[in-house]
């Protein structure tokens, strides 16, 4: 059971990192890459941005992700479609939570569609790492032999 919790935690972490990298790849040209004259300061700024974004998205996505992962574990759902749609649903929750935290001046450019697409990608990565074994711990504990009375 402890190993399964570790796999879930690793899957969640890599899924969030994938979603953040997906968004950064969408903005690749605007970050100053691909032109052949990359600035080392811009490269380090992008690395810092990926790390900080991963922390913030992890914060916003934790509760909805935990609920959907718990459902998949209890019901032994192993479908890639469930996890992809769950990633999209979590991203939609992140968009909603970010909208609540926004200030009234509206200085943030809306990126809701890209965020939901990133959530779909993150959900698929979670499925690859941890989702394919969802609920496997239940089968082992249910099929464990009864201790014999000697």
């Amino acid at each position: 059971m402890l190993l399964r919790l570790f796999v879930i935690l690793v899957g969640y972490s890599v899924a969030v990192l994938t979603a953040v990298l997906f968004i950064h790849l969408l903005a690749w040209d605007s970050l100053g890459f691909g032109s052949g004259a990359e600035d080392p300061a811009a490269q380090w700024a992008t690395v810092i941005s990926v790390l900080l974004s991963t922390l913030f998205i992890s914060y916003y996505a934790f509760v909805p992700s935990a609920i959907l992962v718990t459902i998949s574990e209890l019901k032994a759902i192993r479908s890639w479609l469930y996890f992809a749609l769950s990633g999209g649903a979590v991203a939609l929750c992140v968009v909603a939570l970010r909208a609540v935290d926004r200030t009234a001046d509206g200085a943030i450019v809306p990126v809701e569609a890209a965020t939901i697409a990133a959530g779909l990608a993150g959900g698929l990565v979670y499925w690859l790492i941890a989702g394919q074994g969802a609920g496997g711990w239940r089968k082992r504990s249910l099929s464990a032999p009864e201790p014999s009375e000697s």
Side-chain angles (χ1 to χ4, degrees):
M1 183 74 109
L2 192 58
L3 178 63
R4 183 68 194 149
L5 290 174
F6 178 75
V7 170
I8 290 170
L9 181 62
V10 168
Y12 175 73
S13 301
V14 175
V16 171
L17 181 62
T18 300
V20 169
L21 287 173
F22 183 88
I23 293 210
H24 279 77
L25 285 176
L26 288 177
W28 192 256
D29 288 336
S30 65
L31 293 172
F33 296 105
S35 64
E38 287 82 12
D39 181 19
Q43 291 174 343
W44 280 108
T46 302
V47 169
I48 300 294
S49 173
V50 166
L51 294 175
L52 289 176
S53 298
T54 302
L55 288 174
F56 286 118
I57 298 300
S58 297
Y59 170 76
Y60 283 118
F62 182 75
V63 172
S65 296
I67 291 168
L68 292 168
V69 166
T70 301
I71 290 170
S72 73
E73 289 292 327
L74 292 177
K75 296 194 177 276
I77 300 171
R78 297 179 180 178
S79 168
W80 66 269
L81 185 59
Y82 172 81
F83 289 102
L85 293 177
S86 293
V90 168
L92 192 59
C93 290
V94 168
V95 167
L97 288 171
R98 280 184 49 225
V100 168
D101 282 350
R102 267 189 212 153
T103 58
D105 62 0
I108 299 173
V109 177
V111 292
E112 286 82 8
T115 303
I116 293 170
L120 293 171
L124 287 174
V125 168
Y126 179 84
W127 171 75
L128 285 171
I129 294 172
Q132 294 177 2
W137 56 272
R138 294 186 65 196
K139 290 180 183 176
R140 282 188 294 257
S141 65
L142 293 176
S143 64
E146 296 287 327
S148 62
E149 295 180 24
S150 300

